[in-house]
Amino acid sequence: MMLDDYEAALDDHLTDSEYVRRFIPIVPFLGEVLGKTSEVVLHDVARLDASVIAIANGENSGRTIGAPATDLVLRMLRDGRAHTDDYVTGYRASADGGGKFFRSATYFFRRHGRVVAMLCINTDDSLLEQLIGLAGKISERHLPGITTELEDSQWQENLATSAEEIAVTATQREIERRGVPLGDFTPADRQEVVAALENEGIFRLKGAVADVADALEVSVPTVYRCLRAARRPK
């Protein structure tokens, strides 16, 4: 048996999580190369409630090993984006409840055609953005007519430290999108919120139903009823 064939046979006996752990050494390497303002994270998608198995420069978002998959990871797995693209770049992520923003990118690791891991890089460009802002002010004063436009990507991500935060933040976002105070919500409003969260894959997280119920200020059975309706074939 050739060496490559032998190694392939060994790989076939590994679980997905054991296979993914082989990529852990690349995380500190990239963290060192990219510098302290770039957080590098390896997600094992077989364990969504504690998907972060390696992280470098985690002080940028406050996350550590054992943090859950983000809302974007869940959404990509849910809508199939991760199964058609090799990577996604140039989207914006946030941490600290939206108080801190990053320029982000995600690479998908596949095994036998299945996505088994995601490598994410989140870069804090705040100092650079301050410099750009200052340069813009100088330009306005001394070089009239020259402007710079920065476009936000369609992708957004919440770099939460717990599965509860992922679910609650996603629920609050859907509530705000409706432009109606939570106290004025109708059953139809709640149904729409739960359906939107189901489409994002939020309910794949352990305890998400109870977290969503708290955020919507309704009972757990109410959320389960909305969830069953959302999953009912159209």
Side-chain angles (χ1 to χ4, degrees):
M1 179 182 290
M2 299 291 291
L3 180 59
D4 287 348
D5 294 335
Y6 177 72
E7 290 180 347
L10 285 178
D11 280 351
D12 285 339
H13 286 85
L14 297 175
T15 66
D16 284 349
S17 291
E18 289 171 337
Y19 176 80
V20 169
R21 292 187 67 83
R22 301 177 73 175
F23 299 109
I24 287 178
I26 200 174
V27 172
F29 166 71
L30 288 175
E32 188 75 21
V33 171
L34 296 174
K36 292 297 184 182
T37 59
S38 289
E39 177 185 73
V40 183
V41 187
L42 181 62
H43 290 277
D44 177 356
V45 303
R47 35 187 291 178
L48 294 175
D49 294 306
S51 67
V52 176
I53 60 171
I55 187 167
N57 305 325
E59 62 273 9
N60 283 285
S61 70
R63 292 180 298 171
T64 59
I65 291 174
T70 66
D71 48 359
L72 181 62
V73 171
L74 296 173
R75 195 156 61 249
M76 286 180 170
L77 291 173
R78 176 76 181 182
D79 67 17
R81 176 74 183 243
H83 300 286
T84 58
D85 293 345
D86 290 329
Y87 55 82
V88 176
T89 64
Y91 63 89
R92 174 157 286 202
S94 65
D96 296 335
K100 193 172 185 180
F101 294 94
F102 302 87
R103 173 172 48 86
S104 300
T106 293
Y107 182 87
F108 306 111
F109 286 99
R110 291 181 173 82
R111 187 186 191 201
H112 305 310
R114 295 176 290 105
V115 173
V116 294
M118 297 185 186
L119 181 68
C120 304
I121 299 175
N122 307 300
T123 302
D124 180 1
D125 287 331
S126 57
L127 288 177
L128 181 59
E129 289 171 354
Q130 290 175 29
L131 180 59
I132 291 172
L134 178 59
K137 291 179 180 179
I138 294 174
S139 176
E140 289 174 4
R141 287 177 176 266
H142 300 282
L143 298 171
I146 298 177
T147 59
T148 300
E149 293 185 2
L150 298 176
E151 295 182 356
D152 288 339
S153 167
Q154 61 172 320
W155 297 98
Q156 301 262 329
E157 182 175 24
N158 175 25
L159 308 180
T161 58
S162 69
E164 178 185 3
E165 185 181 347
I166 291 283
V168 170
T169 300
T171 305
Q172 291 172 341
R173 183 174 62 240
E174 291 301 327
I175 292 172
E176 291 171 359
R177 280 178 180 169
R178 273 143 191 83
V180 178
L182 182 58
D184 295 334
F185 261 38
T186 65
D189 290 324
R190 289 191 287 271
Q191 179 62 56
E192 289 177 4
V193 169
V194 171
L197 297 175
E198 167 65 2
N199 286 335
E200 290 189 17
I202 295 298
F203 292 105
R204 298 180 67 172
L205 294 174
K206 184 178 180 181
V209 170
D211 294 333
V212 171
D214 286 343
L216 281 175
E217 298 180 4
V218 297
S219 67
V220 168
T222 295
V223 174
Y224 272 120
R225 283 196 297 273
C226 293
L227 191 54
R228 284 194 295 271
R231 291 173 174 172
R232 197 172 296 141
K234 299 293 190 290

